[in-house]
């Protein structure tokens, strides 16, 4: 055996690892370029756009009712979110007030959706840290809320509950009983998962102190939703600027914004789990206080010229729909700002300095949803050059493209 | 047909490895595929297993209307799969473009880019529909590969479904 007195110092080389667009850890196409030194991530670059389907452009050629169903298909996980927020925007543009009962049912769908989305996230988080047993368990219990949504709306994923001026389906008394029964079961299971997430070392040790996003950075980078609330930023449209039945929910004084000052992935996980339990309680409150009356108001198809901004707290954070109407039955311009778009910026920060093995859970912690977010960036597939198109150039080009088709 | 070939074909039908590719979908179909793999329906009982790499897979599950940007990647991944390979288009988008048909960035259907073996329509198809589609595909495959089942699958008796339901609920 040879022995050297001088310890050798090895400087790990810098390596850039591309992840994606197809990657087993990601359910959606996105590409990340991580620059690592040994095990440490020193730089992260996010490259998305594989899902751009030009929804906003298609919408300009369709009537409001048709756009409602298109909006739903922006993202299958938060379908009621986009559907309901657009309905809200159109109603605001038409300056109509929808019946109270419709407001309650709309909010109920939203909250049920929040439950399903958060349980889905929890399962994915368990999966990312390699705790597959809990992944299977949580997805089994997710089927309970999927069944509730199916009995309520008739579909498992794209609910199509909202229409302009109200909702399409009523909640009967027998349905109410079914929903209440399902909610009881969900609450019990969610309390169990809360304890699993907090007391089970398998999970906790993987998320404790990982992907830290300090409060100040979260504020300056504009983090929204559970990502922001996990860093103690009080942003929740449901309480800050409530619409629909959230006004009553807030005034009842029984519900509070869920915040955590842990600032790491664990904090975001706790916020989501506790929020799910809150959402179950909210659903129960909504069902018990459901007012009587019609569920739908007639709205004429042509909407007067107007410019509105509708906000709602989606499961992932604040979603904004900006709508310009021009007196016809089609939107002049419709713009969607989905929460993942706001959370991207802070994510590159949280990745930096972490371990490579933690990258999947850090990525998952903002609950990214690329299909909501993808914008036009023209990337030449041959040489991978990236070309950002200003809006006017893009508009001219797309108009030319549409002209050549007709 | 040699004995070994027969054995390999049998293994292919009895335990196909599937691989999921998102070609620009809205996530709706993707979560339903995962739901089909989860305890309630459990696609794995047919021997179907989800793998992470196209090189290991026999069947590619495609969701989404194929955007311009994903098209070259989709073709490249298809070429990476080993023969024999099959593609299943899941969801209305993957079948025909669905609501996104006519957009400037969407091809409209997976079959515009690569050959497709089976289509499962629906927006999104229910997990049970996906399971049924997968089962049908296996049936067709076993016919093509010349290893048809002699015994037809037995339908489950009514009382049995009840007890299964109770077991699931408990
Ligand atoms: S078929 Fe429907 S659910 Fe599936 S990707 Fe297309 S829009 Fe989404």
């Amino acid at each position: 055996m040879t022995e050297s007195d001088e310890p050798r110092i090895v400087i790990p080389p810098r390596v850039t690892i591309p992840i994606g667009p197809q990657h087993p850890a990601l359910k959606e196409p996105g590409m990340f370029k991580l620059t690592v030194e040994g095990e440490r991530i020193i730089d992260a670059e996010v490259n998305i756009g594989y899902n751009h389907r030009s929804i906003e452009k298609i919408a300009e050629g369709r009537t409001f009712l048709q756009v409602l169903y298109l909006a739903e298909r922006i993202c299958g996980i938060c379908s009621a979110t986009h559907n309901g927020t657009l309905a809200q925007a159109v109603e605001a543009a038409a300056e109509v007030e929808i019946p109270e009962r419709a407001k309650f049912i709309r909010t109920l769908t939203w909250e049920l959706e929040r439950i399903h989305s958060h349980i889905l996230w929890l399962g994915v988080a368990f999966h990312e840290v390699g705790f597959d047993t809990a992944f299977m368990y949580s997805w089994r219990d997710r089927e309970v809320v999927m069944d509730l949504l199916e009995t309520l709306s008739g579909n498992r994923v794209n609910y199509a509950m909202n229409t302009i001026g109200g909702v399409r389906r009523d909640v009967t008394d027998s349905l109410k009983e079914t929903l209440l029964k399902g909610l009881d079961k969900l609450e019990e299971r969610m309390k169990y998962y809360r304890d699993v997430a907090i007391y089970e070392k398998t999970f906790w040790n993987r998320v404790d102190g990982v992907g830290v996003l300090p409060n100040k950075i979260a504020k300056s980078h504009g983090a929204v939703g559970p990502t922001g609330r996990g860093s103690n930023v009080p942003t929740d449209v449901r309480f800050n600027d409530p619409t629909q039945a959230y006004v009553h929910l807030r005034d009842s004084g029984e519900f509070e914004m869920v915040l955590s000052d842990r600032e790491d992935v664990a904090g975001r996980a706790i916020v989501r789990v506790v929020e799910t339990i809150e959402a179950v309680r909210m659903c129960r409150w909504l069902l018990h206080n459901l007012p009587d009356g019609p569920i739908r108001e007639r709205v004429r198809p042509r909407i007067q010229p107007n410019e509105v901004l509708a906000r709602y707290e989606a499961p992932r954070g604040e979603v904004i729909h900006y709508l310009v109407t021009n007196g016809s039955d089609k939107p002049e311009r419709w713009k969607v700002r989905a929460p993942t778009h706001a959370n991207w910026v802070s994510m590159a920060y949280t990745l930096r300095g972490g371990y490579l093995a933690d990258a999947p859970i850090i990525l998952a912690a903002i609950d990214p949803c690329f299909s909501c977010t993808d914008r036009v960036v023209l990337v030449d597939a041959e040489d991978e050059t990236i070309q950002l198109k200003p809006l006017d150039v893009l508009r001219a080009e797309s108009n030319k493209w549409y002209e050549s088709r007709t | 047909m040699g004995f070994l070939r027969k054995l390999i074909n049998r293994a292919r039908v009895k335990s196909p490895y599937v691989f999921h590719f998102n070609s620009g979908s809205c996530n709706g179909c993707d979560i339903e595929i995962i739901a089909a793999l989860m305890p309630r329906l459990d696609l794995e009982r047919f021997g179907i297993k989800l793998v992470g790499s196209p090189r290991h897979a026999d069947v590619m599950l495609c969701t989404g209307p194929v955007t311009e940007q994903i098209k070259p990647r989709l073709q490249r991944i298809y070429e990476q799969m080993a023969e024999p390979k099959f593609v299943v288009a899941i969801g209305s988008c993957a079948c025909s473009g669905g609501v996104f048909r006519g957009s400037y960035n969407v091809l409209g259907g997976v079959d515009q880019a690569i050959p497709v073996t089976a289509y499962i329509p629906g927006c999104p198809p229910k997990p049970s529909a996906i399971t049924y589609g997968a089962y049908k595909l296996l049936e067709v495959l076993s016919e093509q590969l010349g290893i048809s089942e002699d015994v037809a699958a037995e339908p489950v008796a009514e009382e049995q479904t009840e007890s299964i339901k109770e077991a699931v609920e408990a």
Side-chain angles (χ1 to χ4, degrees), chain A residues 27 119-128 130-142 193, chain B residues 34 37-39:
Chain A
K27 296 283 167 275
I119 301 183
L120 180 146
W121 178 83
L122 192 68
V124 172
F126 281 142
H127 175 67
E128 301 291 6
F131 191 10
D132 266 359
T133 318
F135 171 43
M136 296 277 168
Y137 262 64
S138 54
W139 274 67
R140 186 194 68 187
D141 291 323
R142 180 173 164 270
Y193 291 124
Chain B
I34 303 178
L37 286 160
M38 283 298 129

Side-chain angles (χ1 to χ4, degrees), chain B residues 27 40 50 55 66 78 90 103-105 118 131 142-143 149 158 165:
Chain B
N27 284 338
R40 181 177 278 187
L50 193 69
R55 292 173 206 276
V66 189
Y78 180 71
I90 292 183
S103 132
Y104 63 80
N105 206 34
T131 316
S142 53
E143 248 168 54
E149 296 280 317
E158 195 62 25
K165 239 189 202 164

Side-chain angles (χ1 to χ4, degrees), chain A residues 73-355:
Chain A
R73 282 153 181 88
I74 291 177
C75 172
I77 301 177
C78 28
S79 55
T81 298
H82 290 294
N83 182 282
T85 316
L86 179 66
Q88 227 182 105
V90 178
E91 282 149 14
E95 284 160 20
V96 288
E97 186 70 18
I98 70 167
E100 279 294 301
R101 192 177 172 88
K103 281 186 186 171
F104 270 67
I105 297 176
R106 189 175 281 180
T107 315
L108 179 69
T109 328
W110 276 345
E111 284 307 314
L112 282 174
E113 186 190 62
R114 187 184 314 278
I115 299 172
H116 115 69
S117 174
H118 279 355
I119 301 183
L120 180 146
W121 178 83
L122 192 68
V124 172
F126 281 142
H127 175 67
E128 301 291 6
V129 300
F131 191 10
D132 266 359
T133 318
F135 171 43
M136 296 277 168
Y137 262 64
S138 54
W139 274 67
R140 186 194 68 187
D141 291 323
R142 180 173 164 270
E143 290 292 324
V144 177
V145 66
M146 295 311 273
D147 283 348
L148 294 187
L149 279 165
E150 193 175 352
T151 39
L152 177 69
S153 72
N155 206 349
R156 278 169 58 94
V157 170
N158 291 328
Y159 317 111
M161 269 301 268
N162 299 303
T163 183
I164 291 156
V167 290
R168 291 177 53 232
R169 279 165 169 250
D170 204 357
V171 177
T172 58
D173 283 342
S174 64
L175 180 59
K176 204 159 139 182
E177 288 303 311
T178 325
L179 288 174
L180 284 172
K181 231 166 95 191
L183 288 173
D184 285 343
K185 179 155 187 214
L186 272 174
E187 187 167 20
E188 180 201 321
R189 296 303 298 171
M190 275 325 291
K191 285 192 172 145
Y192 172 70
Y193 291 124
R194 180 189 61 192
D195 293 345
V196 169
I198 297 176
Y199 298 115
E200 177 64 48
K201 289 269 181 305
T202 323
F203 181 68
W204 190 255
N205 288 355
R206 280 296 306 274
V207 293
D208 187 14
V210 167
V212 177
L213 179 68
N215 181 279
K216 237 173 76 203
I217 303 286
K219 268 187 194 153
S220 67
H221 286 43
V224 294
T227 312
R229 290 200 288 278
S231 294
N232 216 0
V233 183
T235 94
D236 190 332
V237 182
R238 290 178 295 163
F239 297 97
N240 296 344
D241 182 16
T243 53
Q244 313 288 331
Y246 287 121
V247 185
H248 305 285
L249 274 171
R250 187 193 54 177
D251 292 346
S252 77
E254 287 178 35
F255 305 96
E256 268 179 32
M257 199 187 298
V258 185
L259 287 173
S260 162
D261 54 5
R262 292 194 49 94
E263 306 183 338
D264 55 0
V265 176
R268 282 161 241 166
I270 292 175
V271 165
R272 284 204 176 87
V273 179
V274 177
E275 227 173 67
T276 320
I277 299 173
E278 285 279 290
V280 173
R281 287 181 46 226
M282 280 186 189
C283 287
R284 204 176 286 138
W285 191 91
L286 288 169
L287 282 171
H288 284 312
N289 294 293
L290 199 61
D292 289 329
I295 57 163
R296 195 173 169 178
E297 177 82 23
R298 284 222 162 272
V299 181
R300 63 208 172 284
R302 290 181 197 286
I303 312 282
Q304 68 263 43
N306 226 332
E307 187 180 347
V308 293
L309 189 79
R311 305 165 77 191
Y312 162 65
E313 183 75 16
R316 287 157 182 74
E318 180 186 6
V319 57
I320 295 173
H321 280 220
Y322 169 72
L323 181 74
V324 183
T325 50
N326 57 3
S328 75
D329 57 354
K330 294 183 179 130
E332 168 86 16
R333 177 82 174 94
W334 170 47
K335 167 92 189 105
V336 179
R337 207 288 317 262
T340 306
H341 204 63
N343 282 338
W344 271 138
V345 201
S346 60
M347 198 184 63
Y349 180 89
T350 52
L351 273 173
R352 245 165 250 151
Y355 283 112

Side-chain angles (χ1 to χ4, degrees), chain B residues 6-144:
Chain B
K6 233 181 195 165
L7 191 71
I8 292 174
N9 279 350
R10 195 167 186 88
R12 270 192 191 124
V13 173
K14 287 299 175 191
S15 77
Y17 278 17
V18 300
F19 155 78
H20 165 219
F21 187 77
N22 179 329
S23 50
S25 91
C26 80
N27 284 338
C29 286
D30 312 57
I31 54 174
E32 292 299 73
I33 292 177
I34 303 178
L37 286 160
M38 283 298 129
R40 181 177 278 187
L41 284 164
D42 198 9
L43 260 183
E44 287 188 12
R45 70 200 146 116
F46 297 119
I48 295 174
K49 191 173 181 300
L50 193 69
V51 291
S53 160
R55 292 173 206 276
H56 299 162
D58 304 308
V59 181
M60 172 151 71
L61 308 176
C62 266
T63 54
V66 189
T67 57
E68 288 288 351
Q69 204 185 352
I70 209 84
K71 183 185 162 199
R73 275 101 179 160
L74 179 64
Q75 284 163 341
R76 210 151 78 204
I77 284 174
Y78 180 71
E79 280 158 18
Q80 284 175 1
M81 286 169 70
E83 291 281 352
K85 47 192 170 188
F86 307 96
V87 177
V88 183
I90 292 183
S92 304
C93 285
C95 293
S96 66
V99 274
F100 307 113
R101 209 185 171 91
S103 132
Y104 63 80
N105 206 34
V106 160
L107 289 183
V110 176
D111 49 7
Q112 306 289 324
I114 52 174
V116 176
T117 323
Y119 298 86
I120 305 177
C123 184
K126 298 228 156 94
S128 45
I130 295 176
T131 316
Y132 182 65
Y135 179 71
K136 275 280 166 211
L137 177 73
L138 293 187
E139 243 178 32
V140 172
L141 283 191
S142 53
E143 248 168 54
Q144 265 181 14

